[in-house]
Amino acid sequence: MRCVEMKVDEKVAPSEPREALPFLENREKCKNPSEKISKEEDDETACGFWLFKGPFMQRFATEKMYVILYGIAGCVMTMTFAYFNGTITTLEKRYKIPTKISGIISVGNDISTMLTAALLGYYAGNGHRPRWMGIGLLTIVAFCLLTSSLHFIYGAGEDALKLTREYGQVNETLARQERDQKLCQTKAAGCIQEEIGQWVPQVFLFMAQLISGVGQALFYTLGIAYMDDNGTKSKTPAMLSLSTFLRMLGPAIGYSLAALCLRLYIEPSLEPLIGREDPRWMGAWWLGWIVLAAMTLVSAIFLFMFPRELPSSRRRRLQAGQAEGNQEVNLKERSFGDMMQTVRKLTKNKVYVYNTMASIMYFFGYMAYWIFTPKYIETQYRQSAAMATMATGTVALGFSAAGVLISGYVISKYRPSARAMASWNAIVDFVTVAGILCYVAIGCESSDRLNSLTTLSAENSCSASCHCDYVHYAPVCSPENITYISACHAGCSERSKDELGRTIFTGCKCMGSSSLESGTESQFAVDGTCPVDCFNQFLVFLGVMCFLKLVGASSKSTNLLIALRCIPQEDKTFALGLGSMVASLLGFIPSPIFFGWLIDNYCLVWGKTCSNKGNCWLYDTESLRYALNLTAASFIFVGGFLNIAVWHHAKDLKIFDEVEHVEKEVEMDKLDVKSRENK
């Protein structure tokens, strides 16, 4: 007999089958077989590519290094999606996009994920998976560059430029005309012409999202399967928790980056005349995309360097007597018919089906908060876009990361059963429903009253004679603390500056009792919305949200472990891809569109142009709070009962191996080698 030093492409003589050559049977005839295998590493286990390879690189081909780099790459990827969510309200203002359309744009990546996840998981899953993941990250780079290029193509926009000091200096006549249009007009003004190709930015953003979905499918479907296949089952919970923890830092950093960029004006070289709390403020949304593109490119290069199979996994497989030749045969047998047969087999797996459907219901309900939480905070609690983004990203998602770490520690230490994990998933769903019902009660009465009064001011019959149909949203505040959509809607005819530099509108005939002819000169309004203090309610909302993030994140690892263990190893990559496709089709795609439509239904003041109604400036906050939260809670509530069905069918499912004999043999081998060396 000889020591096992075979390569993947080495041919085995018929008289000497691979089953007769396990490493453990030849241990006595090799002084140090583990070292010999490591010296004879072939291209399949070699770390690096092109010029970036060699013995120095090989030391990084370990499970721990992969988990860390995979987690960091996932962190960068989630940063891009969080950054998009954090800047979505600014994009709506800049390109006059209704929330319903922005919801459709945001699901572009889920549409391409749905179309490609299963196929890529089935075919690319048997290729060089780290290289495919690197290619996926390159599509994210393209997504970042395409999105940011909109600013360089269209610029900051006329609406934003009109609110800068430089615009008034360079275009004094146009600036005066713009200011006069805000006042009460004696005759109807013409409609505001749309910017040429206004629909093009929307299509551009959607296509960029489509491209990113391919990278997302490659990264998650192949990355998790590669991690599970190249590690031991006892270490999988810890590896999943660590990589998920690193990935959870991505949204926090992405939202923080968005908050930082939104603090700058959309054209940083110009001086704005309004503050960040003004609803007309537009931040430098495009700046962060350039940073994210560079970070994603570096992550892609590092992932490219990992081998097709980690050396430690190769040694364990050879020691277990697994035949490599069988894998080569399986590669040739891949076909569409075989894939459909695998689909039929998975549909009969009740644990897999119920677990997938429970995840879909949770995602459908909670997707509204992942995408629209900054918008929700802005409208409900009157916080700036930067504050809403910072709270959503830095504070709340920090609790999500803590939840992932705590759950990973508990699972690794106590090794709960599949039923225990499924029951915890159900508990998390019902606790989440209770927390969302608390959102309904956490309203701001001042904000609700302000919006209703603003709507009444818009419907004032007095302002009809001022011809305000096409006046831009430019709120003013009356002494009675009533906000008017513009000075025109308040019936104001004159403008001046006070000693504090504030713009004061006078002669406002449509304010309260001033609609009478007498005394109109004493009626005035101050530029900007009336002050509203909702900060205490915002803090309560933030506290409940952080608790839900902590509890919800604790079920990520348990849900994924059930999904990994309820399917055979040969179907793992495809099953993850198929689950991702179904989740996109039934959850990730329809949810943002549905909730975007729901939010638009409660709009009170639309921006109006010649051909459409543009973006929404003001919402019925009280009705929106009830409708959004109760609808989301209903879907998650159904998901809780589906997790109970998972609990019922998971009684025979094993999450951990009772005895990992291969690892024990390796340890025994190392002890024998050390004892011989000592002798």
Side-chain angles (χ1 to χ4, degrees):
M1 300 292 287
R2 56 185 175 84
C3 297
V4 178
E5 301 175 7
M6 300 176 60
K7 299 182 180 180
V8 173
D9 56 352
E10 185 179 344
K11 304 298 181 183
V12 181
S15 59
E16 188 181 27
R18 290 182 184 269
E19 290 79 358
L21 299 175
F23 172 80
L24 295 176
E25 291 181 6
N26 303 316
R27 187 169 56 198
E28 294 80 5
K29 301 207 175 180
C30 300
K31 183 177 180 180
N32 196 342
S34 297
E35 292 182 1
K36 278 196 172 186
I37 292 175
S38 64
K39 291 177 182 178
E40 297 294 333
E41 298 291 356
D42 53 29
D43 292 339
E44 300 297 315
T45 57
C47 193
F49 72 100
W50 194 39
L51 300 176
F52 308 98
K53 59 182 178 180
F56 174 78
M57 299 293 299
Q58 196 61 26
R59 70 182 65 185
F60 298 107
T62 62
E63 296 174 26
K64 291 182 180 179
M65 185 58 65
Y66 171 77
V67 171
I68 292 173
L69 286 179
Y70 178 72
I72 293 175
C75 173
V76 175
M77 177 178 285
T78 53
M79 281 175 63
T80 62
F81 297 114
Y83 186 84
F84 180 84
N85 293 339
T87 57
I88 195 168
T89 54
T90 303
L91 287 171
E92 290 177 2
K93 296 175 188 177
R94 169 61 189 92
Y95 298 108
K96 299 178 176 61
I97 306 173
T99 305
K100 177 175 60 178
I101 302 300
S102 64
I104 295 174
I105 291 172
S106 66
V107 301
N109 64 320
D110 296 303
I111 292 175
S112 54
T113 298
M114 176 196 68
L115 297 175
T116 60
L119 290 174
L120 290 174
Y122 191 72
Y123 292 104
N126 290 280
H128 199 301
R129 288 181 285 189
R131 299 275 172 86
W132 278 106
M133 284 187 281
I135 293 172
L137 287 179
L138 292 181
T139 66
I140 303 298
V141 175
F143 160 59
C144 296
L145 295 178
L146 284 173
T147 305
S148 64
S149 65
L150 273 179
H151 177 76
F152 301 101
I153 296 173
Y154 288 94
E158 194 74 10
D159 291 345
L161 295 177
K162 288 175 182 176
L163 298 172
T164 61
R165 190 175 303 280
E166 289 79 0
Y167 182 88
Q169 295 171 353
V170 176
N171 306 285
E172 185 175 351
T173 303
L174 292 176
R176 187 184 302 110
Q177 292 175 355
E178 175 67 21
R179 289 193 294 267
D180 290 341
Q181 286 177 359
K182 296 179 182 178
L183 299 176
C184 183
Q185 305 294 315
T186 57
K187 60 180 181 179
C191 68
I192 302 168
Q193 292 292 334
E194 288 185 276
E195 295 180 28
I196 298 175
Q198 188 64 51
W199 58 272
V200 176
Q202 301 176 19
V203 175
F204 212 80
L205 291 170
F206 182 76
M207 294 304 296
Q209 289 279 346
L210 275 180
I211 293 173
S212 70
V214 178
Q216 181 177 255
L218 284 168
F219 184 81
Y220 289 123
T221 302
L222 303 181
I224 294 175
Y226 183 87
M227 181 191 303
D228 195 48
D229 289 344
N230 285 271
T232 57
K233 288 188 176 182
S234 61
K235 295 180 180 178
T236 298
M239 292 192 297
L240 284 175
S241 297
L242 177 59
S243 64
T244 305
F245 168 74
L246 293 173
R247 196 164 66 244
M248 291 298 296
L249 297 178
I253 302 173
Y255 278 117
S256 301
L257 179 62
L260 181 64
C261 292
L262 292 178
R263 291 179 66 84
L264 301 173
Y265 200 58
I266 189 171
E267 195 61 59
S269 60
L270 303 181
E271 181 185 354
L273 297 174
I274 58 175
R276 299 188 185 98
E277 292 75 19
D278 194 296
R280 293 168 293 173
W281 175 276
M282 284 186 274
W285 63 270
W286 54 273
L287 191 58
W289 290 115
I290 301 173
V291 178
L292 292 171
M295 296 176 66
T296 308
L297 180 61
V298 174
S299 301
I301 294 173
F302 279 117
L303 269 184
F304 258 101
M305 295 183 181
F306 272 91
R308 180 169 181 166
E309 183 179 17
L310 293 178
S312 58
S313 174
R314 169 70 62 86
R315 287 194 292 271
R316 281 195 300 270
R317 186 160 52 78
L318 291 176
Q319 290 160 1
Q322 181 176 337
E324 296 178 8
N326 293 340
Q327 289 187 337
E328 295 176 359
V329 173
N330 288 338
L331 286 176
K332 299 177 183 179
E333 292 177 351
R334 294 283 175 177
S335 64
F336 182 77
D338 182 53
M339 182 176 69
M340 296 309 298
Q341 185 177 357
T342 306
V343 171
R344 286 192 292 270
K345 183 169 62 174
L346 289 173
T347 55
K348 297 178 182 178
N349 188 328
K350 293 184 179 180
V351 175
Y352 174 78
V353 171
Y354 284 123
N355 189 60
T356 302
M357 294 305 298
S359 301
I360 290 172
M361 298 305 294
Y362 182 86
F363 291 147
F364 195 103
Y366 214 78
M367 180 67 72
Y369 303 102
W370 286 338
I371 296 179
F372 299 119
T373 292
K375 187 182 187 76
Y376 184 86
I377 293 174
E378 288 181 55
T379 57
Q380 291 286 334
Y381 306 109
R382 298 289 171 175
Q383 302 299 309
S384 66
M387 173 63 78
T389 303
M390 180 65 73
T392 304
T394 305
V395 180
L397 289 174
F399 281 82
S400 294
V404 170
L405 282 182
I406 293 172
S407 65
Y409 171 77
V410 171
I411 294 171
S412 300
K413 182 175 178 62
Y414 297 103
R415 298 194 173 196
S417 64
R419 275 197 157 185
M421 291 184 179
S423 61
W424 175 249
N425 291 342
I427 292 172
V428 167
D429 285 348
F430 294 130
V431 170
T432 302
V433 170
I436 292 175
L437 293 179
C438 292
Y439 287 169
V440 178
I442 307 172
C444 181
E445 185 179 352
S446 300
S447 178
D448 296 342
R449 186 172 62 252
L450 177 68
N451 285 2
S452 61
L453 291 174
T454 304
T455 307
L456 291 175
S457 73
E459 298 172 351
N460 192 335
S461 60
C462 172
S463 63
S465 61
C466 289
H467 308 288
C468 307
D469 288 344
Y470 295 102
V471 175
H472 277 298
Y473 179 71
V476 296
C477 182
S478 74
E480 293 82 14
N481 210 40
I482 298 176
T483 297
Y484 290 79
I485 294 174
S486 70
C488 179
H489 288 82
C492 305
S493 57
E494 300 292 336
R495 177 195 312 101
S496 61
K497 293 278 188 179
D498 64 1
E499 60 275 6
L500 300 176
R502 299 180 302 174
T503 300
I504 304 297
F505 297 94
T506 55
C508 306
K509 63 180 181 179
C510 299
M511 291 170 48
S513 60
S514 64
S515 57
L516 301 175
E517 288 296 326
S518 59
T520 58
E521 293 80 4
S522 63
Q523 296 298 324
F524 69 93
V526 181
D527 191 25
T529 58
C530 296
V532 174
D533 185 11
C534 295
F535 191 71
N536 291 335
Q537 291 87 341
F538 167 63
L539 291 179
V540 176
F541 171 83
L542 188 60
V544 176
M545 182 172 65
C546 289
F547 173 74
L548 291 186
K549 292 283 187 182
L550 178 69
V551 174
S554 66
S555 66
K556 289 182 179 293
S557 297
T558 52
N559 182 274
L560 187 55
L561 279 172
I562 291 175
L564 288 172
R565 296 293 179 258
C566 70
I567 49 180
Q569 183 171 351
E570 63 271 14
D571 299 330
K572 187 181 302 177
T573 304
F574 175 67
L576 290 175
L578 181 64
S580 179
M581 183 190 76
V582 176
S584 297
L585 178 64
L586 301 179
F588 293 127
I589 292 175
S591 178
I593 298 174
F594 171 76
F595 282 105
W597 167 82
L598 183 69
I599 292 172
D600 277 349
N601 275 350
Y602 294 95
C603 180
L604 298 176
V605 178
W606 288 98
K608 193 172 182 181
T609 62
C610 295
S611 59
N612 62 37
K613 56 186 178 182
N615 62 293
C616 182
W617 288 104
L618 199 66
Y619 292 92
D620 181 356
T621 51
E622 184 177 11
S623 300
L624 177 61
R625 185 169 64 251
Y626 278 89
L628 179 68
N629 293 311
L630 292 178
T631 304
S634 300
F635 287 103
I636 299 175
F637 188 70
V638 175
F641 286 100
L642 289 171
N643 273 314
I644 293 176
V646 175
W647 172 86
H648 176 72
H649 293 286
K651 57 183 178 181
D652 297 324
L653 182 63
K654 294 181 181 179
I655 302 294
F656 302 96
D657 285 344
E658 289 85 354
V659 180
E660 295 185 280
H661 62 278
V662 176
E663 285 189 27
K664 287 193 172 185
E665 290 288 352
V666 174
E667 294 298 326
M668 291 173 59
D669 176 66
K670 289 180 180 178
L671 292 174
D672 289 345
V673 171
K674 287 182 180 179
S675 63
R676 285 197 295 270
E677 288 177 349
N678 292 333
K679 290 180 180 179

